[in-house]
Amino acid sequence: NSLISMLKDVDKEVRKTTILVLSGLGNTRLINPILSMLQDVEEDVRKTTIIVLSKLGNSCPIDPLLTLLKDVDKDVRLTTVMLLKELRDTRAINGLIESLKDPVWMVRGRAAYALGNFNDERIVEALLPLLNDEDPFVIGSAAAVLGKLRSIKAVEPLISALKYRKKDDKNYDYVANALNKISGLGFSYDTERWEKWWEEYKLKDVHLRKWFWFVNKSDMENFTFFYKIRNKSMKIVYPN
């Protein structure tokens, strides 16, 4: 009790030290008093609390952390995003998606990276607007995750981002790599080749869909038309 009362000390350094001491006791009943320090008026105290909570792993409460994604201090928001990335808890997805709109570019970029730990259809739609972000780090972060998810929806926005890239900015390597992963091709920064491939792919895809529309499911075994993805290249192969 004497230690817990020190969490209200006027000196922020005392409060920070008390948090560290309480966390080292290994008593789960002390988690709630430590959690209360997420609302401390001092940024350093809130950051210390986040670091301590990160050591709890999967037993770390998520809901109190989600409130910190809207903290007035950008460093607290950033630290929280990075902690949520390590925790990999699906309950954090909505909060991280909201953080993609954060006014600070580093928070937006790190939130994008954190979402790369999940396989959720909402993530692709949430990341696509970031390919038009004003900051190359954010664009690269979103592209890296979209490439990992291999969503065909991302192809056209990725090509556009590559087309209007800032020269000599290595963040755009993630854009080119994302296109490579999704398509299985390797056109790097050659936007003309990417655009040509994409137009051909869309035409073939429309043709394929038309055929399947008219083919009865019972006739599929005898149907000679087939769709094949070879070496993950997304090439549509037609019989001779």
Side-chain angles (χ1 to χ4, degrees):
N1 290 335
S2 59
L3 272 176
I4 292 175
S5 65
M6 293 176 69
L7 292 173
K8 298 180 181 180
D9 195 277
V10 293
D11 189 331
K12 71 173 185 179
E13 295 301 325
V14 172
R15 299 200 299 277
K16 286 168 58 179
T17 302
T18 303
I19 292 169
L20 294 172
V21 171
L22 288 173
S23 66
L25 296 177
N27 190 333
T28 55
R29 290 180 296 178
L30 297 175
I31 291 179
N32 286 335
I34 294 174
L35 281 172
S36 69
M37 302 309 291
L38 290 173
Q39 307 302 322
D40 196 275
V41 294
E42 294 289 342
E43 167 198 341
D44 288 350
V45 177
R46 297 196 299 275
K47 288 173 67 175
T48 299
T49 306
I50 294 170
I51 292 170
V52 165
L53 291 173
S54 69
K55 298 176 182 179
L56 297 177
N58 293 333
S59 61
C60 178
I62 295 296
D63 290 341
L65 292 174
L66 295 179
T67 62
L68 290 184
L69 292 175
K70 297 181 180 179
D71 195 273
V72 294
D73 190 278
K74 61 179 174 54
D75 290 329
V76 171
R77 298 197 305 274
L78 178 60
T79 305
T80 304
V81 165
M82 295 174 71
L83 170 56
L84 290 172
K85 177 181 181 294
E86 297 304 316
L87 294 178
R88 299 169 181 258
D89 193 305
T90 55
R91 290 174 293 173
I93 292 177
N94 286 335
L96 290 170
I97 287 176
E98 284 298 313
S99 292
L100 297 177
K101 303 173 185 176
D102 195 278
V104 177
W105 62 270
M106 181 62 79
V107 177
R108 296 196 302 275
R110 292 299 179 186
Y113 269 126
L115 287 168
N117 287 332
F118 308 104
N119 185 13
D120 190 296
E121 59 184 12
R122 294 171 293 171
I123 294 174
V124 172
E125 296 295 338
L127 289 176
L128 290 179
L130 266 63
L131 295 176
N132 293 316
D133 197 274
E134 60 185 17
D135 190 273
F137 173 76
V138 178
I139 294 173
S141 301
V145 176
L146 289 168
K148 181 180 179 180
L149 296 174
R150 288 179 166 83
S151 173
I152 195 67
K153 292 181 180 179
V155 170
E156 200 158 347
L158 284 167
I159 293 174
S160 179
L162 199 61
K163 190 173 184 178
Y164 298 104
R165 75 183 188 277
K166 295 179 181 179
K167 291 185 178 180
D168 302 322
D169 193 317
K170 294 298 182 181
N171 284 297
Y172 287 88
D173 287 351
Y174 293 105
V175 179
N177 289 337
L179 286 167
N180 291 343
K181 288 180 179 179
I182 294 171
S183 68
L185 303 172
F187 297 153
S188 188
Y189 284 95
D190 194 335
T191 53
E192 289 187 5
R193 293 182 72 185
W194 281 122
E195 287 176 332
K196 182 180 178 182
W197 165 77
W198 180 236
E199 290 303 316
E200 291 176 351
Y201 173 82
K202 287 191 293 184
L203 286 173
K204 290 178 180 179
D205 188 53
V206 168
H207 182 65
L208 180 68
R209 290 174 186 273
K210 286 181 178 179
W211 272 106
F212 275 110
W213 178 263
F214 290 107
V215 174
N216 187 293
K217 290 183 180 179
S218 63
D219 296 331
M220 284 301 291
E221 290 184 3
N222 299 320
F223 191 54
T224 57
F225 183 92
F226 63 95
Y227 179 80
K228 180 179 180 183
I229 297 179
R230 183 168 54 198
N231 298 325
K232 297 182 180 179
S233 67
M234 287 187 169
K235 295 178 181 177
I236 297 177
V237 182
Y238 296 92
N240 295 327

